Amino acid sequence: QVVFAKKVFDDLEVEQILPSMFDGIDFPGYDRVRLSYEQLSTIIHRHKRDWVAALENQKAVYLITDMVSGKHYVGSAYGENGMLLQRWTNYVADGHGGNKLLKSIVEDSGIDYVMQNFQYAILENYNARVDKHIILERESWWKETLGSRAFGLNAN
């Protein structure tokens, strides 16, 4: 049975007003990060403090999955400014972060495809002092392990 809002609107009452606007899920720990584009966008645009604090100070190897094709993109964040937060902010901004094969998906299918079908996860995280060469070696290992060069979205 379908209830139309007009019929019950006058019977509704507000039970609680939250102290702040709901701004998405709380940071669950690095080993439990798996976000849709919409969730990631909410975290970045609303500058969710717990997530920002966690991501802006971590270098990482991460995974982007196209949930329709099942193809993977393995990337890394090792820059000194903003680290993982900055890298993922780039993906929210344009859907591809400058990556060749991701850019072609946006060009062919549009940003809406990315917004509806991409998922972001952390494979490994590192503190800010870890040398970028270690992170790049681990990124390469994950690309081979997941087959993202041969069968996925990594061109390099």
Side-chain angles (χ1 to χ4, degrees):
Q1 177 179 345
V2 176
V3 177
F4 293 98
K6 290 179 189 177
K7 292 182 179 180
V8 296
F9 189 77
D10 291 333
D11 297 331
L12 299 175
E13 68 180 68
V14 175
E15 284 195 22
Q16 179 184 16
I17 297 178
L18 298 175
S20 63
M21 180 171 63
F22 177 72
D23 56 359
I25 60 174
D26 292 335
F27 182 72
Y30 297 104
D31 60 340
R32 297 196 181 278
V33 172
R34 185 174 56 226
L35 301 165
S36 67
Y37 177 95
E38 182 180 357
Q39 290 170 317
L40 181 58
S41 179
T42 297
I43 288 163
I44 289 169
H45 287 119
R46 295 197 179 149
H47 206 68
K48 187 148 170 43
R49 278 185 248 165
D50 57 337
W51 282 89
V52 168
L55 300 180
E56 74 180 347
N57 295 306
Q58 289 291 299
K59 297 178 180 181
V61 177
Y62 57 87
L63 178 69
I64 300 174
T65 303
D66 179 333
M67 301 302 287
V68 172
S69 71
K71 292 183 178 181
H72 296 301
Y73 173 83
V74 175
S76 63
Y78 51 83
E80 299 303 319
N81 297 321
M83 297 178 210
L84 184 54
L85 178 67
Q86 183 57 52
R87 195 71 197 101
W88 281 4
T89 298
N90 294 339
Y91 291 114
V92 168
D94 60 20
H96 56 74
N99 302 107
K100 180 181 175 182
L101 296 179
L102 297 179
K103 193 173 189 177
S104 88
I105 289 173
V106 173
E107 289 170 356
D108 295 343
S109 302
I111 187 76
D112 286 344
Y113 179 86
V114 171
M115 295 168 88
Q116 294 167 8
N117 300 303
F118 276 29
Q119 178 177 274
Y120 305 80
I122 297 174
L123 295 173
E124 297 180 359
N125 68 292
Y126 305 90
N127 71 45
R129 293 184 304 264
V130 172
D131 186 88
K132 78 175 188 177
H133 299 293
I134 293 170
I135 296 164
L136 291 170
E137 285 174 15
R138 294 301 298 161
E139 176 187 14
S140 185
W141 187 87
W142 279 106
K143 287 176 181 178
E144 288 301 314
T145 300
L146 296 173
S148 66
R149 287 185 183 118
F151 308 108
L153 299 170
N154 285 103
N156 61 344

